[in-house]
Amino acid sequence: MLKFILRRVAVSAVVLLAASFLMFVLTINSGDPLKDLRESNATNKQQLIDARIAFMGLDLPWYERYWNWLKGVGGCFTGQCDLGVTANNVDVLSLTTQAAGATLRLVTLATLLAIVVGVALGILTAIRQYSGFDYSVTFGAFLFFSLPVFWAAVLLKEYGAIRYNDWIATGQYQPVTILVSAAVLGFVLQAVLGGDRRRRLLTAGGTFAFVTVVMFVLNALDWYRNPMFGAGMVLLVSAGAGVVVTALVTGFGNRRVLYGALTTAVVGVVAYFVFAPVLLDPSWLSLIGLFLLAVVVSLGIGYAWGGYARRQAMLVTLVTGVLTSLAVVFDILVAHWSSFLGLKSRPISTIGAATPNFTGGFWESVLDMGAQILLPTVLLTLISVASYSRYTRSSMLEVMGQDYVRTARAKGLSERAVITKHAFRNALIPITTIVAFDFAGLIGGAVITERVFGWKGMGALFADGLNHVDPAPVMAFFLVTGVAAVLMNLVADIIYASLDPRIRR
């Protein structure tokens, strides 16, 4: 395995070197970096031209300029990273650090959401092939995949931000809106669950009645402006998550695993009360420390309850512990929503990665960051979900038709075991390929998204550098995206070798 990894690293380094050379040559030959100054009427025009020539090294041969950039990148391995300066003598390394942080935060969240939602939809549509649910997801996937990014972004800004901000001022749904929403949810749920006509009607009718009652009650409680969740709901959600994860990973044959998951949920809620003083006004460092503590405790509970299935029990309790931690954070954010609205009456932003001069506390600042990142994340997620769901469905259908899957069913294994232990594992290889390419592709594709939403990330850095024929920011963009692409493909290769040892040869 070590030789395999080293070989892939060496090949990746050669690819990066060749690609960086090509990118540098194309950028410096894409226009005149002094064009704006040549057309200037400034009295000190010549001094400005001379200064830019000195900043950008335009008096040097192209190969020497590339070599200087390459040496600066090489200094990153010794702690003396030098990515050069822009045409205006601004340090590119500081610009890249800020831009990469914003873009990677956006792309990482969108990729994780797209993987979870897309893979889950792909598995469900493969299991329910040619059902109404399958056709609905297929239609939605092709629709979202075909949407022009800039057009979808404008629609999201209009309906997901501007009109939502107008509505949240009162936070009340009209009766017609409630009835239409309940009808749509009832129709979708009966299509997902399927069954004969009687079962579909009962599902649709029950969903319609339940959603209608709940939305009217939430209106009466003014829940949308002053929401509540509470420790009881955290426990209910965490326990439900533990039951679902147990059902997916091991089934209910081994009750010790289920007890471990439920114990993790209970311990998580108890810890919520114990650490409440810390969670009132934490720091990111303290939150990370508490999360790591939750991981360790969850693994310990799984180890204690596991018995002969200790490894599976630890996996179940780990996932349950992570979901419990997320439920706790969600409860805290919900509790701070009303105070956030007091500070920012129009919560969903359409421009920028942060609200200037925001004066809220820690949790209000988290809500502000979430409101800023919400729309571009939704846009990138919808586009990626389409491809993930289609590839997962295709891969699952191909695998589920193999002889070993039919043999597993003939041996009497449960459908859960057939899907999760036999079919899904072997369907992961093509999905892994898509994830690796999509992560790097999203960074490049986020250029348009960032421009529409005014997000100062790698897209803005790349566009500004290209417009000014300035290779330093363009090469910084390439460095981040290129390294991300190479690393993700290296991770994909390692996962390949783990999933199928034959690939190592």
Side-chain angles (χ1 to χ4, degrees), residues 137-362:
V137 173
T138 300
F139 173 77
F142 282 114
L143 175 65
F144 291 131
F145 189 76
S146 304
L147 287 178
V149 174
F150 59 89
W151 182 72
V154 171
L155 288 182
L156 275 177
K157 290 173 72 171
E158 173 65 24
Y159 293 98
I162 297 174
R163 297 200 181 187
Y164 173 82
N165 290 334
D166 293 338
W167 170 82
I168 197 63
T170 59
Q172 295 287 311
Y173 282 112
Q174 297 299 319
V176 174
T177 305
I178 293 176
L179 294 176
V180 171
S181 301
V184 170
L185 287 174
F187 175 78
V188 170
L189 192 60
Q190 63 85 24
V192 172
L193 297 179
D196 55 24
R197 180 176 297 179
R198 181 173 178 274
R199 180 179 175 182
R200 287 175 180 269
L201 288 174
L202 288 174
T203 301
T207 304
F208 176 81
F210 176 77
V211 173
T212 301
V213 171
V214 168
M215 292 186 71
F216 273 113
V217 170
L218 294 180
N219 263 0
L221 296 175
D222 193 26
W223 191 88
Y224 303 106
R225 288 188 57 84
N226 298 284
M228 61 193 79
F229 196 65
M233 287 299 297
V234 172
L235 179 60
L236 184 62
V237 170
S238 303
V243 172
V244 172
V245 174
T246 303
L248 291 175
V249 176
T250 65
F252 299 121
N254 184 358
R255 292 303 177 91
R256 294 179 64 87
V257 177
L258 177 61
Y259 297 154
L262 296 177
T263 302
T264 303
V266 173
V267 170
V269 175
V270 172
Y272 183 14
F273 288 103
V274 172
F275 291 102
V278 179
L279 293 172
L280 283 176
D281 188 20
S283 63
W284 285 109
L285 186 60
S286 62
L287 278 185
I288 293 173
L290 289 175
F291 178 75
L292 294 177
L293 178 62
V295 169
V296 172
V297 172
S298 300
L299 291 174
I301 293 173
Y303 184 87
W305 272 108
Y308 67 88
R310 185 163 287 156
R311 183 176 179 182
Q312 292 179 322
M314 292 174 69
L315 174 61
V316 169
T317 55
L318 173 63
V319 176
T320 304
V322 171
L323 294 177
T324 302
S325 301
L326 294 177
V328 168
V329 171
F330 178 76
D331 179 47
I332 298 173
L333 291 176
V334 165
H336 286 79
W337 176 252
S338 59
S339 61
F340 174 64
L341 287 180
L343 295 168
K344 189 178 178 183
S345 59
R346 300 183 66 82
I348 307 300
S349 301
T350 59
I351 296 294
T355 301
N357 303 319
F358 187 75
T359 57
F362 178 84

Side-chain angles (χ1 to χ4, degrees), residues 17 37-39 45 108 125 138 143 220 227 297 306 309 325 400 409 455:
L17 183 63
L37 294 181
R38 297 187 200 279
E39 297 172 352
K45 181 172 73 173
T108 302
T125 52
T138 300
L143 175 65
V297 172
S325 301
M400 289 171 66
R409 287 197 176 104
W455 192 274

Side-chain angles (χ1 to χ4, degrees), residues 417-452:
V418 172
I419 297 298
T420 59
K421 293 185 178 180
H422 291 77
F424 182 57
R425 177 184 174 90
N426 290 281
L428 275 177
I429 291 181
I431 299 172
T432 304
T433 304
I434 300 304
V435 172
F437 281 104
D438 193 59
F439 183 81
L442 274 179
I443 297 179
V447 172
I448 300 175
T449 305
E450 291 175 2
R451 179 58 64 94
V452 175

